[in-house]
Amino acid sequence: MPAVVLVLLPFLGSLLAALMPQDARNRESWLGIGVSVGGLVICGLMLPQIASGEVLRAEFAWLPAIGLDLVFRVDGLAWIFSVLVLAIGALVVLYARYYMSPDDPVPRFFSFLLAFMGSMLGVVLSGNLVQLVVFWELTSLTSFLLIGYWHHRADARRGARMAFTVTAAGGLALFFGVVILGNIVGSYDLDLILASGDQIRGHALYLPALVLIALGALTKSAQFPFHFWLPHAMAAPTPVSSYLHSATMVKAGVFLLIRLWPALAGTPEWTWIVGGAGVCTMLLGAFIAIFQHDLKGLLAYSTISHLGLITVLIGIGAPMAIVAAIFHILNHAVFKASLFMTAGIIDHETGTRDLRVLRGLRHSLPVTATLAIVASGAMAGVPLLNGFLSKEMFFAETIHVGGDRHWWMSIAAVAMGMFSVAYSLRFISVFFGEPSQGLPRVPHEPPRWMRFPVELLVLTCLVVGIAPGLSIEPLLHLAVVATLGPAAPAYDLALWHGVNLALLMSVLALVGGLLVYVVLRRYFGLQQRQLVPVIYRFNGAQTYETIMAQLTRGAAWLLRRVGTQRQQPQLLLLMLLLLLVPLILAGPPPEWTVIPEQAFDPLFALMWLVGAGSAVAGAWMAKYHRLAALALVGGTGIVTAATFLWLSAPDLALTQLMVETVTTVLILLGLRWLPPRLESISAPEEASWRVWTRRSTDLAIALGGGLGLAALTYAVLLHPASDSIADFFLSNALTGGGGSNVVNVLLVDFRSFDTLGEITVLTVVALTVYALLRRFRPAPESAGVPPQQRFLEDPANGQSPADQANTGYLLVPGVYLRLLLPFMGVIAVYFFMRGHNLPGGGFVAGLIFAVAILVQYMLAGTTWVENHINLRPHRWLGLGLLLACLTGLGAWVFGHPFLTTHTAHVEWPVVGALHVPSAFVFDLGVFAVVVGTTMLMLVALAHQSVRAHRQPGESAAEEQTEGMKGKVS
């Protein structure tokens, strides 16, 4: 359970942050720090068990039949990554408190940041690979929101789209790879997959799984050739850049490679795919970083390079390389977070990040300069700092694995080390020389607590660099043992291992990097150079933009060739697909037999004749009279409901009748605001032969489609009944679902997960309709009083709907209809309570109660109803979804799969024995969602009558005080 709380805590904090006021920066930052520190406390409480080698698991059954369960798993690797995410997160939140402007929408920022933290913790702590992919994509989504936080800037929008497109596409590849991996092992459980390495590597599908999973990891960690998105993500606020580049987003890819190392590593394919991408990335990123003129751009490419270094170590495949990879992940997170915060301080205090104009900042920012120099030294691999230790381990591994045969690995490692020294010197060059003149702001030291995170991180660089055995080795050992198990090597994190080749490579990298920087600065115009030598010809971002543009152009070409704006060809295509796809998938029926004719019922035939006539007449009248067409279509719906009742399907009949009632009223409200028909059109000329041909073709298509659907229905009726699962539901509804109404038990028990998805979609649709109609304004010719209400002789002329119901000609019906509200409420409760055993249920009851509200709107109008009834449909929607989800979560509390139903037998005084299934609460959620959806659409349509008569500059409050001047149709 601690792991579950660890994941849920940031999401809860995100929700609370979003609800805070705009000017609550202190409260929001304290909330973020409290969430992070609370998570660290939970990690501390788990440390004794983790240190003893125990793996903590919290498992909740979701879909156990296909191996999909919610599993949260904490071992040494997951624990140390969780601590990293939470600790860096706490410092970033504190830093953001002072960095963000009071004019920024800070609640949104902290909400996104905490949601991102929770997503990253979900990736780290997932014990099921499908669950891991879900959190993986959540990190892509939340990082998109963070990168595009300043959405008024074009570069932020572009960077967010680029990052999301690349990482989400990689996530899709990862999902397919996980599916293949689960198919090989027979389970998605992480423990089983890690224990099945030999089985996976020996399987024929190993290579496709490896390629797909590697694509997911390499895109997330910005490895070649997908590295181009990361520099464009620098459009995000600096706290976001610091968090994404140090402990979260880009570390997710290398974390996944380390996590799956026991299952996938140890083959030439692993080494060439993972290691090859890492070598290209570490050299390319380091070289480009030297020539950047933006502080954050330099750090972005340096991050790419260091991630490449880590990927090379993972790809090498040796156990000691994994030790070095994990160690460098921790070291890189510490010094890179401090450097990004330093870059943010420089930008915050000077107003620019341009390396070409920044000079001599040590005079105005002496403390910040000292901190930046130490952190840059750690990035360059200077002795006595943490980066030196892990980089020396990297050099040692290239020597050990490369040997005499692959000596180029050592050369590539030294070259990367030299480049890292060069760009580190470039970064700290802003603190030396004569102070810059004419900066946008006069620089000075930042607030004390804004600099505190940098100080703490730099102190960590020193402590780990000087005393690694005491500070970091015990924690590193937890992650190493959790990853490698019995294969974990013996190692010693010491500052001095004697004079060896690795030490000589470190010295060569330091001296060579210094020479490279001096030569480039003095003889090749490093400060003024606009393009990266040689590499500028290969622009990954431009390639991405070109591909996206070509895809857009191709889609437009395909649309021009295949698509059309005419309705008839679209309907023809839909009709053909509707008929052909079932035949292609299922094939024609084995034989077309004739069903023996039953007793002919003239009443049933007459009813269908009425329904068919209503449908045809409705289609004809739609062109001439909308109200008549709506009434005729309603007649067709009533015939359909009667057919269900005739065929012994009362649940369907009742639902159809109520849906027909609600939709008719809502459509009627919508028709009120359509432009009126133009009656003054001259008589049409005689149609040409082309028009007759087109109309004949349309008629043929309609007849063919109708006959084809009839044939398809007939084929379904001829399908052997033995393949049906209806018998299962009929025999298990009472024993398994606690009810004798099979339809309701099917909806709220057997297929409750489907129903949960459906009411979620229903909620989204309602909110979308509401949002669209809030922006909708009726046509000017529709905004006035309808012609039907303009008769001066009418006593209701000039009266509002409320006046008509209170004192006018609707006084008597008004009394009855208002009394109808509680009466229909009782009927709704009756149908809801009986739904599990007799026709009824939450859906029907919700529609009945919604009709009761509709009647009040139709009677007294929008203003009167909303002044007397506090509707709040948004809360109905939220309450419904909450009840439905809590029903599923309640099953977990008792150790059952999600949404498992349990029936309780309760003895009540007077009432007697009551059988109350937990599906009752779920059905109550369905009821609330249906009521909320209907009311929300009703309110959105009814408010058009208010807005249509609102004068420019007049507020809704003023209008309500003046009284309702319009009419609700």
Side-chain angles (χ1 to χ4, degrees):
M1 287 303 290
V4 180
V5 177
L6 203 59
V7 175
L8 292 180
L9 192 60
F11 288 110
L12 178 61
S14 173
L15 178 62
L16 294 177
L19 298 176
M20 287 188 175
Q22 181 76 19
D23 57 349
R25 284 202 304 169
N26 287 331
R27 277 177 283 174
E28 286 151 356
S29 57
W30 277 113
L31 172 64
I33 293 173
V35 167
S36 303
V37 173
L40 289 171
V41 170
I42 295 173
C43 289
L45 295 175
M46 290 189 290
L47 179 58
Q49 294 169 284
I50 300 298
S52 65
E54 186 176 349
V55 177
L56 306 180
R57 284 175 62 97
E59 188 169 353
F60 303 92
W62 181 270
L63 298 173
I66 58 174
L68 291 182
D69 296 325
L70 285 180
V71 182
F72 295 94
R73 177 184 183 278
V74 188
D75 61 1
L77 181 66
W79 184 88
I80 202 164
F81 265 87
S82 300
V83 170
L84 191 66
V85 170
L86 292 165
I88 300 293
L91 298 177
V92 167
V93 169
L94 177 60
Y95 176 82
R97 158 63 183 86
Y98 296 94
Y99 180 87
M100 302 303 293
S101 169
D103 298 329
D104 289 325
V106 181
R108 180 158 58 90
F109 174 82
F110 282 106
S111 178
F112 292 164
L113 188 69
L114 290 172
F116 180 74
M117 180 189 294
S119 303
M120 188 64 196
L121 287 171
V123 170
V124 169
L125 298 173
S126 289
N128 183 289
L129 287 188
V130 175
Q131 174 189 332
L132 184 147
V133 173
V134 173
F135 282 110
W136 184 279
E137 293 294 55
L138 272 179
T139 62
S140 296
L141 177 61
T142 49
S143 64
F144 168 79
L145 298 173
L146 286 169
I147 296 169
Y149 173 74
W150 285 327
H151 52 78
H152 59 279
R153 290 170 38 181
D155 60 334
R157 297 195 299 271
R158 182 192 181 205
R161 285 196 302 267
M162 188 180 295
F164 181 76
T165 302
V166 175
T167 58
L172 188 61
L174 173 62
F175 173 72
F176 290 132
V178 163
V179 170
I180 295 174
L181 206 60
N183 182 58
I184 295 172
V185 178
S187 173
Y188 298 107
D189 188 84
L190 184 60
D191 286 317
L192 291 176
I193 288 173
L194 294 180
S196 305
D198 293 335
Q199 178 186 352
I200 294 170
R201 287 185 289 268
H203 200 278
L205 294 176
Y206 165 72
L207 185 57
L210 172 62
V211 171
L212 291 169
I213 292 172
L215 278 174
L218 297 179
T219 51
K220 186 73 84 173
S221 286
Q223 296 297 285
F224 178 85
F226 311 106
H227 61 283
F228 56 85
W229 70 263
L230 191 57
H232 290 275
M234 293 302 96
T238 299
V240 174
S241 302
S242 177
Y243 200 36
L244 263 64
H245 286 239
S246 61
T248 53
M249 177 80 164
V250 294
K251 293 292 169 57
V254 291
F255 165 80
L256 181 67
L257 293 175
I258 294 173
R259 179 88 283 176
L260 296 179
W261 187 88
L264 299 177
T267 64
E269 293 87 351
W270 170 273
T271 301
W272 282 107
I273 293 174
V274 177
V279 170
C280 295
T281 306
M282 76 173 184
L283 292 175
L284 196 65
F287 185 70
I288 298 176
I290 300 173
F291 299 92
Q292 297 302 302
H293 299 305
D294 177 38
L295 279 172
K296 287 177 67 174
L298 184 152
L299 293 176
Y301 278 104
S302 74
T303 298
I304 292 172
S305 177
H306 280 271
L307 288 169
L309 183 155
I310 296 167
T311 306
V312 170
L313 287 168
I314 298 170
I316 285 174
M320 194 63 198
I322 293 297
V323 177
I326 299 173
F327 188 28
H328 196 69
I329 287 173
L330 303 178
N331 290 336
H332 177 263
V334 174
F335 64 67
K336 189 53 62 73
S338 64
L339 286 170
F340 265 107
M341 292 180 188
T342 301
I345 289 173
I346 294 172
D347 186 21
H348 190 268
E349 302 304 327
T350 64
T352 181
R353 301 194 306 261
D354 195 335
L355 285 159
R356 293 168 292 188
V357 300
L358 291 170
R359 298 185 307 274
L361 292 180
R362 74 181 189 279
H363 300 287
S364 52
L365 302 169
V367 179
T368 302
T370 304
L371 296 171
I373 291 170
V374 176
S376 298
M379 181 168 65
V382 174
L384 300 182
L385 296 170
N386 59 347
F388 169 77
L389 298 172
S390 53
K391 192 171 289 187
E392 189 177 31
M393 293 174 70
F394 169 57
F395 291 152
E397 283 306 301
T398 59
I399 296 169
H400 173 72
V401 176
D404 297 334
R405 184 178 179 184
H406 299 291
W407 48 267
W408 56 269
M409 294 181 62
S410 299
I411 294 178
V414 172
M416 179 268 177
M418 293 168 60
F419 294 154
S420 67
V421 172
Y423 62 66
S424 298
L425 291 171
R426 182 98 196 277
F427 183 86
I428 65 174
S429 66
V430 301
F431 299 107
F432 299 97
E434 293 298 322
S436 302
Q437 302 298 323
L439 293 175
R441 299 178 195 146
V442 179
H444 56 81
E445 285 288 357
R448 173 72 183 83
W449 289 104
M450 184 179 183
R451 199 179 60 216
F452 173 77
V454 184
E455 296 170 344
L456 187 59
L457 291 167
V458 169
L459 178 63
T460 304
C461 292
L462 287 166
V463 171
V464 173
I466 295 171
L470 297 175
S471 57
I472 193 64
E473 186 172 352
L475 301 180
L476 177 63
H477 182 71
L478 300 178
V480 170
V481 171
T483 304
L484 301 177
Y491 59 92
D492 179 25
L493 295 185
L495 189 60
W496 177 254
H497 291 283
V499 178
N500 51 31
L501 283 176
L503 179 62
L504 295 177
M505 290 171 69
S506 297
V507 174
L508 181 59
L510 290 171
V511 175
L514 177 61
L515 292 175
V516 168
Y517 175 73
V518 171
V519 170
L520 288 175
R521 187 177 178 89
R522 288 189 178 182
Y523 301 106
F524 290 92
L526 180 60
Q527 287 291 92
Q528 289 74 37
R529 182 175 288 273
Q530 297 296 325
L531 300 174
V532 180
V534 182
I535 297 177
Y536 75 91
R537 300 178 184 275
F538 308 99
N539 191 325
Q542 186 59 51
T543 303
Y544 162 83
E545 297 289 359
T546 302
I547 292 173
M548 297 302 294
Q550 291 297 332
L551 287 174
T552 303
R553 194 173 294 115
W557 177 87
L558 187 63
L559 191 61
R560 287 195 303 271
R561 295 296 183 273
V562 180
T564 175
Q565 294 184 354
R566 294 180 57 225
Q567 189 176 29
Q568 283 85 354
Q570 294 180 23
L571 291 176
L572 173 60
L573 182 62
L574 287 174
M575 196 65 66
L576 291 175
L577 290 175
L578 192 63
L579 295 174
L580 293 178
V581 169
L583 289 176
I584 294 173
L585 294 179
E591 58 178 341
W592 292 88
T593 59
V594 178
I595 300 178
E597 182 180 350
Q598 305 294 325
F600 177 77
D601 194 318
L603 183 60
F604 186 78
L606 178 63
M607 183 176 67
W608 266 59
L609 185 62
V610 170
S614 297
V616 173
W620 177 264
M621 291 300 295
K623 186 176 181 180
Y624 303 102
H625 200 293
R626 297 166 183 159
L627 183 59
L630 179 61
L632 289 167
V633 172
T636 305
I638 291 175
V639 169
T640 305
T643 302
F644 288 143
L645 190 61
W646 191 289
L647 299 177
S648 302
D651 274 283
L652 292 176
L654 190 59
T655 304
Q656 172 67 27
L657 184 63
M658 299 313 303
V659 168
E660 198 65 42
T661 304
V662 171
T663 53
T664 299
V665 174
L666 292 178
I667 293 174
L668 186 62
L669 287 172
L671 292 179
R672 162 67 179 86
W673 302 111
L674 291 179
R677 288 188 51 77
L678 299 177
E679 303 294 344
S680 59
I681 299 179
S682 58
E685 300 178 0
E686 186 176 350
S688 64
W689 66 272
R690 289 185 177 179
V691 174
W692 280 108
T693 302
R694 177 173 57 81
R695 291 176 178 173
S696 301
T697 304
D698 294 343
L699 179 60
I701 293 172
L703 291 174
L707 292 174
L709 288 176
L712 189 62
T713 305
Y714 190 77
V716 171
L717 293 174
L718 293 178
H719 196 275
S722 58
D723 295 337
S724 173
I725 59 172
D727 293 338
F728 170 82
F729 295 124
L730 290 171
S731 58
N732 290 277
L734 184 60
T735 58
S740 55
N741 181 5
V742 181
V743 175
N744 186 261
V745 172
L746 180 67
L747 292 175
V748 300
D749 188 340
F750 292 129
R751 312 249 344 233
S752 56
F753 193 74
D754 290 350
T755 305
L756 178 61
E758 289 163 4
I759 63 175
T760 303
V761 171
L762 196 62
T763 301
V764 172
V765 169
L767 292 173
T768 304
V769 170
Y770 179 75
L772 290 174
L773 289 178
R774 278 179 62 86
R775 295 290 182 181
F776 169 76
R777 293 297 179 269
E781 61 267 25
S782 302
V785 177
Q788 297 89 334
Q789 300 179 10
R790 294 176 187 168
F791 296 105
L792 298 178
E793 297 81 6
D794 189 348
N797 183 43
Q799 292 183 338
S800 69
D803 295 334
Q804 296 170 9
N806 292 330
T807 59
Y809 74 102
L810 292 178
L811 175 61
V812 174
V815 172
Y816 288 109
L817 291 176
R818 283 172 182 162
L819 289 175
L820 192 63
L821 178 62
F823 179 71
M824 292 186 72
V826 172
I827 294 176
V829 172
Y830 168 72
F831 274 100
F832 175 78
M833 296 297 294
R834 75 198 293 261
H836 217 54
N837 293 292
L838 294 170
F843 193 85
V844 172
L847 289 173
I848 293 173
F849 190 72
V851 169
I853 302 295
L854 279 171
V855 168
Q856 304 308 311
Y857 268 88
M858 295 170 65
L859 171 69
T862 306
T863 304
W864 187 92
V865 172
E866 294 183 2
N867 284 337
H868 290 78
I869 304 176
N870 194 7
L871 295 175
R872 300 187 182 277
H874 297 85
R875 295 190 179 181
W876 282 82
L877 292 172
L879 176 64
L881 287 179
L882 182 63
L883 288 174
C885 292
L886 287 177
T887 306
L889 296 174
W892 279 347
V893 175
F894 296 98
H896 298 287
F898 186 70
L899 284 173
T900 301
T901 299
H902 175 72
T903 302
H905 303 278
V906 184
E907 289 286 342
W908 282 15
V910 181
V911 178
L914 272 182
H915 307 287
V916 184
S918 59
F920 176 88
V921 181
F922 183 86
D923 212 13
L924 185 62
V926 174
F927 169 82
V929 168
V930 171
V931 173
T933 298
T934 309
M935 287 196 302
L936 194 59
M937 293 183 181
L938 171 65
V939 166
L941 287 167
H943 279 198
Q944 296 302 322
S945 61
V946 178
R947 297 192 189 99
H949 302 282
R950 185 178 297 167
Q951 300 298 320
E954 182 182 16
S955 67
E958 292 171 350
E959 190 172 64
Q960 286 192 0
T961 58
E962 294 177 8
M964 181 64 183
K965 298 180 181 178
K967 297 179 183 293
V968 178
S969 298

